[in-house]
Amino acid sequence: MIHLFLTSWRNFLRNLRRYWVLLLALILVTAVLTSVLAVFGGMRTGINEKASRYFAGDLVVFGYTGHNKSIVEHPQEVLEAVDEVHEQGIGIKAISKRSIYYKAARIDLFYAGYWTRQRRLLGAEWALERPMLENLSFTAGGVPEDGDESAAMISRTTADQLKIEVGDTMLVSIWSDKERVNTTEVVIRGIFEEPSFFGFATYLHRKTLNRLREVPEHQINELGVYLEKPLHQQQKAARLLAQEMDKRLPTIGVLDREAYRAAPFKKREVREYGVTTLSAQLDELNDLLQVLTIISVVIMIMFLGITVVGVSNTFTMIVWERTREIGTLRALGLQKGGVILSFLFEALFLGIGGVVFGILFGVVILFLVQMLVELPPNFVSTLFFSQGRLQWVLAGRDLVLIASVVIGASILGSVRATIRAGRKRPVEALSKNT
Amino acid sequence: MRPTTFHLFNRAFLPAAVFVLLVSPAWAEGSIDGLFNEPDTESVDDAEGEEDTVDVGELTTAPLEVSGSVSAGIGAGLGLIEWPGSAAAGSRTAADLVRPSGFYSISSAVSVDARPEPYLRFYANVSTSLDEGVMDFPAPEVKELFIDYTLADTVFFRAGKQGLAWGQGRLLANPANLVSRVSDGVAFRTTVPAGPGTLGGVIYSIEDWVNRYAAIDPRAFGFAGQWEATLGPLSLAAMGHYHVDEPVDAAAGVSFGLGEVNVAVDGAYHIDQGDPISSASSWEALGQLFWEDEGRNWSILTEYWFDSSVADRQGHQAGIGIRMPDLWSDWRPAVSWKHAFQDHSGEVIAGIGGSIAPDLTMSIGLPVIYGKPGTFYRDALTETVTDENADEEEQRLTPVDNVVTLLLAIRLNFSL
Amino acid sequence: MNEYKQLLRTMVLVLLVLGAAAPAAMGDNEFSREESRRILEQVDRLVTFGERDFSAEYTVSDVRPGQGTSRTKLTLFRRDRADTYTIIVMEPERDRGKGYLRIGDKLLLYDPVPRRFTSINASDRFQSTNMRNSDFNKSTLSEDYRITGHSQEELGVYTTDVYELEAITEDATFPKMKIWIDEDNLVRKSEDYSQSGRHMRTIAIPDYEKIEDRYVPVRMVIQDELRGRTIDGQFKHERTLIKVEKPSFQELPDMVFTRAYIERVSK
């Protein structure tokens, strides 16, 4: 067997000139697969990390009357319900009470003549959300002191644009809820690395934001719950919370994506409360990722089909060209199975060669793109890239997947031709004029 | 109300002040209150002075202007005539399927534009380009030649060879463009303000019709009319086209803004006048969504087009075009994808281009065509070659268009 | 595509100039609520040339310290009663021949290269520029503001009445304003403040031109109080300089407000 393996290896090397086009194709396919999977992996990891902080928690409670804005007028009742959920075995990491300002073109930040815009202002209570906010990767400063109403946290991109540092005073200008310009000064206490869709958000103290918005200081727009096991318990926890809230308040249950979109605009006689999960809020992004995944799968299948057919054709040609060689081997006593195995080994080497060089090539491409291509900040580049640069994650299972797909395709493609090679009779094979 | 002592001074001072304003650091940098250290020289009663107003006519008057342009380009392409491994490629390897190509072009155009009076304009554009077959420049062709006349600042006429486009389609097709052939012939066009919109009429003729009927025969002419108006948020248009030998065309379009997205819908109906038994009448509809970010960096255009003349109601097509921001300098990538559901053929084009030196631009494109030969997006097999590598000699038809091509072109554009 | 932003910004400014003309006749230092309203009503009346056509040439220079200056020149034809205007771009050279036609909510952009009109949503576009949306609206000072304070101040060669205004409706963009009125009852300067009292913007109008019984501001400086750069240890504000030439209420032919006219003007 080992002998056969070595012979096949020698044959493979000797026939390399026949294989090179196919090998190049396999390298290309592997490089493309590697790049696609790595880029999608990077996107997914990045987005999930950032989302929960941005959306106030894994579960969020809204209160609507039909005027678009959510207000949680009965936080005490909601908190009691959260306690009940906790009693029923759902691990809860932290609670958030947030004020939200979301008018993309109406948020201006100024410092020393420099100016930039934000997508969202998040009014948080430092003390409540400290455990979660501390997970932000700070490049300077950190989460402000409990109760520090003059403090703000901004992303590093924002800080770079404003040329501002921790300790400096920044001016925030918005169109308040009364549709007029209002401003406030805040001191930068933390600068965090969140260069994405979620990075165009500035954290203020909830009371400060409410004053800026000209709404009651204690108003809460969203009450969020961070779970210990968000991925496993999110749906169950949402259901339980809705049930518990229903015992205390007018409730509209767990809002899925559609309901979450429609809820703010439906006219209601009293304020009604609903719970939504992070994944429902993230649905649009999830959809996008799903589309990307489908595209990547389609690309993969397409490439795979091309590879299998290509390998099959090439092997047919190779087997045909090497008929006399097969005849000689058979005449020297090599069995039918041995011939088949010998060609299958060659296909294996071809696959392995393609995988090794292809992954290397793919990684080099990824590195080069990451190093050389810098996109200006815009919606897509900030959502999917890190500081305008490609970010990619190549998980072990991705490598295994790529290797098995490419090697599998190579072997699968060679099967028909190798079986045909095995069937050749020595005498006939030797008499073939090539 | 105000003393006029500055009047004469003002007339003389004004041009100088204009210059000072635009360059003076005092305006650009000095203190705001410092701007009031000199009294106002402008707020004077102009009633007795000569009226200095924008001359509406002047904007449409200009001395004779002759301009020319020359453009030369070279390019190379490397493409595959079939996908390696596909049934059409058979046993041919990738190397067999590669088809290199090269091209070059030189063209030149001269235009003359004269606007002697506000109501009169003459414009002509002639151009010629290298004929590679004979390696010579054919006699210049008149691309445009027309005279404009505006009657009483209200009715506009344009007569001559001219380009004209109606309808809103940009990517797949433009069914409401009932006047697409105007540029092939000579036309007389007029527009008149009508109610809340504008009414336009075109009478034109093309070579084919003139060959069929006498040049003065009304049957040698096509007639088209259009009314367009903007009512509140809606832009509306209705148009029609008539020629004696063709179906009567009627079309209408509407467009409006929906948030940041511009929505446009066009419909066209072609009523066959010939044989009443066979229902040759057909209709087309085009829906379009267009979004652009505020800086016009990103733009996304999607279109859906239905053509009832395709059998079995299969004539659906969809397309999307995306333009991305400049990657560096003025290099801007763009990608478009068009797909015909009727035969599942399509075309994906990715490209990027920009300047590499003054007057010199480079573009790189990667067009991919898919679908069986002879489908909507793919030409039929026409080129016959003998494949010498095959087992037995066989005649093989190879496609004229590549399934994928990497194109690189450099172009010099110069105009004065 | 910065030129495009620049162009839009310029257009906004041009329209802004029309909305900042002169108030007239002031009383004494004391103002009852009614007097305050009467004065501001007069301002509103004077700044609206509603029933007349307006045309002028504008040169707008954006001065961004440390970042350069850009200049745009254009011709404007405006007819408020029909809610329409036409703008023809004269400079910079690369945009020459471009035209804008606004009809109601629609803004059509004509690009002379493909000879094609593109429809863009006017309200959205203008919101996304740096200017305030309210700059477009007709002056409604008397409805939106009341006078809360008055003093006298020397402003260069002018002795001015300074009025402090406070918004009385939620429609006013700036909750607080200060205006300087000279002896001839023309607004020479105004300052816009946020609700919390932050000085956001200053507008200076050193020169007016009188046409018939109205005054048209022909030179303006708009200073952004929050944006700028420190150069050589000194803070320099971003400024926009506007020069208006050939302002006129001459009657314009209807043709000017049609697509065909823009096509005719363009090459």
Side-chain angles (χ1 to χ4, degrees):
Chain A
M1 184 75 160
I2 290 170
H3 180 71
L4 193 67
F5 186 79
L6 291 174
T7 313
S8 304
W9 173 245
R10 206 190 60 221
N11 279 344
F12 175 68
L13 291 180
R14 272 176 44 196
N15 284 294
L16 210 52
R17 68 179 174 81
R18 288 195 170 100
Y19 282 124
W20 78 269
V21 175
L22 198 55
L23 187 65
L24 274 183
L26 283 179
I27 289 173
L28 199 70
V29 169
T30 312
V32 170
L33 283 181
T34 308
S35 310
V36 168
L37 286 176
V39 170
F40 290 165
M43 288 176 186
R44 196 169 281 131
T45 315
I47 287 173
N48 279 323
E49 265 176 24
K50 289 154 192 162
S52 72
R53 265 191 307 264
Y54 187 78
F55 288 115
D58 302 305
L59 303 180
V60 182
V61 174
F62 298 94
Y64 291 118
T65 54
H67 295 99
N68 188 4
K69 278 176 200 145
S70 159
I71 298 174
V72 180
E73 278 175 337
H74 306 90
Q76 205 43 50
E77 284 82 347
V78 178
L79 288 175
E80 281 169 21
V82 172
D83 279 345
E84 282 299 322
V85 172
H86 184 55
E87 294 288 310
Q88 292 174 45
I90 302 286
I92 287 164
K93 240 192 284 184
I95 300 287
S96 69
K97 293 179 190 170
R98 284 205 180 164
S99 166
I100 309 285
Y101 183 84
Y102 186 34
K103 286 180 191 167
R106 302 277 168 86
I107 308 170
D108 296 321
L109 305 181
F110 299 92
Y111 173 69
Y114 290 89
W115 161 85
T116 191
R117 281 216 162 123
Q118 298 284 282
R119 201 181 295 279
R120 225 177 220 236
L121 291 179
L122 303 171
E125 277 185 48
W126 313 126
L128 275 181
E129 289 194 60
R130 185 170 299 278
M132 302 312 301
L133 295 178
E134 271 175 350
N135 288 343
L136 286 163
S137 43
F138 285 96
T139 56
V143 182
E145 298 283 322
D146 293 358
D148 184 351
E149 292 181 19
S150 69
M153 299 197 302
I154 54 173
S155 72
R156 198 188 53 76
T157 319
T158 307
D160 286 351
Q161 278 163 354
L162 292 176
K163 308 245 183 299
I164 197 169
E165 290 171 12
V166 167
D168 291 334
T169 301
M170 172 179 82
L171 185 81
V172 186
S173 165
I174 65 166
W175 280 39
S176 75
D177 287 27
K178 294 189 174 173
E179 286 295 308
R180 56 191 184 189
V181 176
N182 199 10
T183 50
T184 190
E185 285 186 341
V186 288
V187 181
I188 303 300
R189 292 293 173 211
I191 297 172
F192 54 86
E193 190 73 58
E194 192 94 295
S196 72
F197 176 74
F198 310 108
F200 287 116
T202 288
Y203 289 85
L204 303 178
H205 193 278
R206 181 163 55 86
K207 287 185 182 172
T208 309
L209 179 56
N210 282 342
R211 279 195 295 269
L212 187 62
R213 288 174 53 203
E214 297 191 78
V215 298
E217 204 173 83
H218 291 281
Q219 193 179 87
I220 297 168
N221 298 108
E222 295 174 6
L223 198 148
V225 181
Y226 292 97
L227 300 174
E228 294 280 359
K229 293 176 185 165
L231 290 177
H232 294 104
Q233 296 187 325
Q234 206 177 85
Q235 298 304 333
K236 186 184 169 195
R239 228 175 22 250
L240 287 175
L241 183 57
Q243 277 168 17
E244 288 302 328
M245 274 164 43
D246 200 31
K247 294 175 188 168
R248 296 163 175 83
L249 297 162
T251 311
I252 44 177
V254 179
L255 305 176
D256 62 8
R257 176 194 185 160
E258 292 305 315
Y260 167 66
R261 277 197 187 158
F265 305 100
K266 197 183 159 201
K267 292 274 171 282
R268 302 164 202 283
E269 283 177 9
V270 291
R271 191 169 293 281
E272 293 180 316
Y273 293 90
V275 183
T276 188
T277 58
L278 181 62
S279 31
Q281 297 208 55
L282 258 185
D283 248 5
E284 273 172 62
L285 288 178
N286 282 336
D287 276 1
L288 196 62
L289 284 176
Q290 218 147 26
V291 169
L292 291 174
T293 312
I294 291 168
I295 292 170
S296 70
V297 168
V298 168
I299 291 172
M300 233 154 82
I301 290 171
M302 227 169 75
F303 270 80
L304 218 69
I306 294 166
T307 314
V308 171
V309 178
V311 170
S312 174
N313 288 333
T314 312
F315 263 87
T316 309
M317 191 75 82
I318 285 169
V319 167
W320 183 76
E321 284 174 354
R322 286 164 65 186
T323 309
R324 283 176 68 86
E325 183 188 323
I326 295 165
T328 314
L329 288 172
R330 292 283 271 132
L332 288 172
L334 190 68
Q335 291 303 304
K336 209 158 97 177
V339 173
I340 293 175
L341 208 58
S342 150
F343 274 97
L344 284 181
F345 276 138
E346 286 186 39
L348 176 72
F349 298 141
L350 186 71
I352 291 173
V355 166
V356 171
F357 291 108
I359 288 176
L360 275 177
F361 185 45
V363 169
V364 168
I365 291 172
L366 290 167
F367 263 120
L368 283 179
V369 171
Q370 193 173 35
M371 256 169 51
L372 300 177
V373 178
E374 189 176 359
L375 293 176
N378 52 51
F379 177 77
V380 175
S381 69
T382 49
L383 183 57
F384 295 122
F385 301 92
S386 168
Q387 294 162 325
R389 288 186 190 276
L390 179 77
Q391 70 177 344
W392 52 276
V393 172
L394 203 53
R397 62 186 160 82
D398 291 339
L399 290 175
V400 173
L401 182 74
I402 293 165
S404 31
V405 160
V406 175
I407 295 172
S410 177
I411 293 175
L412 193 72
S414 70
V415 167
R416 194 170 64 108
T418 52
I419 290 174
R420 205 177 283 172
R423 283 195 192 133
K424 285 192 194 299
R425 288 159 139 190
V427 181
E428 280 170 20
L430 279 168
S431 65
K432 167 87 183 172
N433 287 320
T434 51
Chain B
M1 265 177 89
R2 187 168 163 84
T4 60
T5 42
F6 295 117
H7 181 69
L8 287 173
F9 175 67
N10 174 38
R11 287 280 148 246
F13 177 76
L14 183 65
V18 168
F19 181 72
V20 170
L21 165 68
L22 293 172
V23 294
S24 165
W27 287 78
E29 299 180 1
S31 85
I32 285 281
D33 288 359
L35 298 172
F36 299 99
N37 289 337
E38 297 289 329
D40 184 353
T41 59
E42 297 277 348
S43 45
V44 290
D45 200 327
D46 240 2
E48 57 200 84
E50 67 194 82
E51 192 93 357
D52 188 14
T53 60
V54 175
D55 184 347
V56 179
E58 193 188 323
L59 280 169
T60 49
T61 314
L64 180 76
E65 197 178 296
V66 180
S67 57
S69 68
V70 62
S71 154
I74 52 163
L78 193 67
L80 292 173
I81 52 172
E82 293 289 357
W83 290 107
S86 64
S91 60
R92 286 173 292 179
T93 62
D96 297 330
L97 297 169
V98 169
R99 174 160 63 189
S101 55
F103 54 89
Y104 50 89
S105 67
I106 304 176
S107 64
S108 181
V110 175
S111 64
V112 177
D113 192 353
R115 304 167 187 228
E117 300 292 340
Y119 54 85
L120 201 63
R121 180 184 178 197
F122 170 75
Y123 179 84
N125 178 300
V126 290
S127 73
T128 180
S129 53
L130 179 70
D131 182 344
E132 291 164 50
V134 293
M135 270 302 150
D136 197 3
F137 291 90
E141 184 192 352
V142 176
K143 293 275 183 197
E144 278 181 297
L145 194 158
F146 56 76
I147 294 170
D148 286 355
Y149 184 83
T150 308
L151 183 68
D153 263 329
T154 313
V155 188
F156 171 75
F157 301 102
R158 174 169 288 180
K161 195 172 165 70
Q162 56 189 288
L164 181 61
W166 293 347
Q168 304 173 94
R170 285 197 254 180
L171 188 66
L172 296 172
N174 191 0
N177 189 13
L178 308 179
V179 288
S180 60
R181 286 172 299 173
V182 161
S183 60
D184 301 337
V186 169
F188 177 78
R189 171 160 84 95
T190 180
T191 58
V192 193
T198 312
L199 198 63
V202 188
I203 301 172
Y204 71 109
S205 186
I206 56 174
E207 193 184 354
D208 185 29
W209 298 340
V210 178
N211 288 342
R212 224 179 295 165
Y213 306 101
I216 48 160
D217 191 326
R219 289 176 296 176
F221 293 91
F223 304 87
Q226 184 203 37
W227 177 77
E228 58 178 7
T230 304
L231 301 172
L234 298 178
S235 281
L236 305 168
M239 44 239 132
H241 179 273
Y242 173 80
H243 180 259
V244 66
D245 294 338
E246 294 176 5
V248 175
D249 301 313
V254 61
S255 79
F256 53 91
L258 195 70
E260 289 189 349
V261 178
N262 196 74
V263 182
V265 178
D266 276 357
Y269 197 69
H270 314 290
I271 311 147
D272 189 35
Q273 327 173 58
D275 182 2
I277 298 159
S278 65
S279 62
S281 296
S282 65
W283 60 278
E284 290 173 86
L286 180 99
Q288 182 191 70
L289 299 176
F290 180 67
W291 171 85
E292 224 172 12
D293 72 342
E294 59 177 271
R296 297 187 101 191
N297 289 319
W298 282 92
S299 62
I300 300 175
L301 172 74
T302 59
E303 280 187 3
Y304 199 91
W305 171 42
F306 177 75
D307 179 0
S308 79
S309 66
V310 177
D312 301 328
R313 300 213 167 255
Q314 293 288 302
H316 298 272
Q317 291 212 20
I320 183 166
I322 301 170
R323 280 179 76 105
M324 286 158 249
D326 294 340
L327 278 183
W328 65 88
S329 177
D330 61 344
W331 282 70
R332 192 171 180 195
V335 59
S336 74
W337 180 18
K338 298 187 255 184
H339 183 84
F341 294 93
Q342 63 214 48
D343 51 23
H344 293 287
S345 66
E347 178 186 275
V348 183
I349 301 175
I352 186 168
S355 50
I356 45 176
D359 298 323
L360 210 57
T361 55
M362 185 163 98
S363 51
I364 301 166
L366 189 75
V368 176
I369 299 168
Y370 59 89
K372 295 200 177 80
T375 49
F376 193 90
Y377 283 102
R378 202 164 167 211
D379 281 337
L381 307 174
T382 54
E383 198 180 313
T384 309
V385 296
T386 307
D387 189 342
E388 293 164 2
N389 299 327
D391 257 359
E392 60 252 42
E393 284 213 343
E394 69 179 275
Q395 292 278 303
R396 218 187 260 279
L397 285 164
T398 60
V400 281
D401 48 4
N402 295 339
V403 288
V404 60
T405 315
L406 179 67
L407 285 169
L408 192 139
I410 293 174
R411 183 162 288 279
L412 171 80
N413 290 302
F414 182 71
S415 58
L416 69 151
Chain C
M1 288 275 110
N2 282 333
E3 318 93 77
Y4 181 76
K5 277 187 190 167
Q6 171 65 27
L7 213 56
L8 282 175
R9 190 177 140 81
T10 304
M11 288 165 55
V12 179
L13 284 167
V14 163
L15 296 159
L16 164 72
V17 175
L18 295 176
M26 288 292 172
D28 281 312
N29 287 359
E30 299 300 319
F31 295 94
S32 66
R33 193 67 177 255
E34 287 70 33
E35 275 176 317
S36 156
R37 189 177 167 78
R38 188 176 50 78
I39 291 161
L40 295 175
E41 258 171 2
Q42 214 155 358
V43 174
D44 291 343
R45 223 178 10 252
L46 275 171
V47 295
T48 313
F49 329 128
E51 287 306 305
R52 314 178 204 199
D53 291 342
F54 181 80
S55 58
E57 283 179 11
Y58 285 79
T59 307
V60 180
S61 306
D62 256 325
V63 182
R64 297 192 175 152
Q67 301 161 82
T69 300
S70 60
R71 200 179 106 152
T72 309
K73 196 171 172 187
L74 35 91
T75 304
L76 169 92
F77 301 104
R78 180 168 167 150
R79 178 174 285 171
D80 280 352
R81 63 174 187 274
D83 204 8
T84 177
Y85 60 73
T86 293
I87 288 173
I88 309 287
V89 180
M90 319 296 285
E91 285 177 33
E93 191 57 37
R94 61 166 182 271
D95 290 326
R96 197 180 161 81
K98 275 192 183 163
Y100 290 81
L101 174 62
R102 189 187 147 152
I103 310 167
D105 293 342
K106 275 253 172 177
L107 183 62
L108 299 167
L109 158 68
Y110 179 74
D111 194 333
V113 179
R115 293 210 175 132
R116 185 161 191 144
F117 280 93
T118 323
S119 151
I120 45 186
N121 201 323
S123 50
D124 288 352
R125 292 295 171 177
F126 289 117
Q127 263 180 28
S128 57
T129 61
N130 297 329
M131 300 312 299
R132 304 287 174 182
N133 208 27
S134 58
D135 293 342
F136 286 104
N137 304 339
K138 284 178 187 168
S139 177
T140 49
L141 282 178
S142 60
E143 290 165 33
D144 297 342
Y145 292 93
R146 66 186 178 96
I147 298 171
T148 56
H150 172 242
S151 60
Q152 287 210 316
E153 214 176 87
E154 295 297 318
L155 180 67
V157 295
Y158 302 102
T159 304
T160 56
D161 291 297
V162 185
Y163 297 100
E164 286 164 33
L165 307 181
E166 193 181 87
I168 47 172
T169 66
E170 293 186 354
D171 291 337
T173 306
F174 290 103
K176 289 164 194 167
M177 271 181 84
K178 238 168 133 177
I179 52 174
W180 279 253
I181 310 289
D182 73 3
E183 304 96 317
D184 301 307
N185 307 317
L186 299 170
V187 173
R188 287 294 170 183
K189 183 174 136 179
S190 72
E191 291 179 350
D192 299 330
Y193 292 86
S194 76
Q195 175 65 16
S196 60
R198 165 64 70 153
H199 185 189
M200 307 290 284
R201 189 171 77 162
T202 304
I203 299 175
I205 312 173
D207 296 329
Y208 281 90
E209 185 164 322
K210 191 183 180 201
I211 307 170
E212 295 166 23
D213 58 342
R214 304 291 163 107
Y215 284 95
V216 177
V218 289
R219 312 271 174 94
M220 285 179 86
V221 177
I222 301 172
Q223 173 163 295
D224 192 315
E225 295 298 330
L226 300 174
R227 289 193 236 178
R229 289 287 182 275
T230 302
I231 293 168
D232 300 330
Q234 201 192 346
F235 189 80
K236 291 179 176 164
H237 294 275
E238 280 186 16
R239 279 187 182 179
T240 304
L241 321 179
I242 299 167
K243 174 168 66 77
V244 182
E245 289 171 286
K246 303 181 185 173
S248 156
F249 294 138
Q250 65 172 323
E251 201 169 317
L252 299 167
D254 294 348
M255 180 76 182
V256 164
F257 304 102
T258 62
R259 295 183 195 208
Y261 179 76
I262 295 177
E263 270 182 271
R264 252 175 77 200
V265 171
S266 296
K267 296 222 165 160

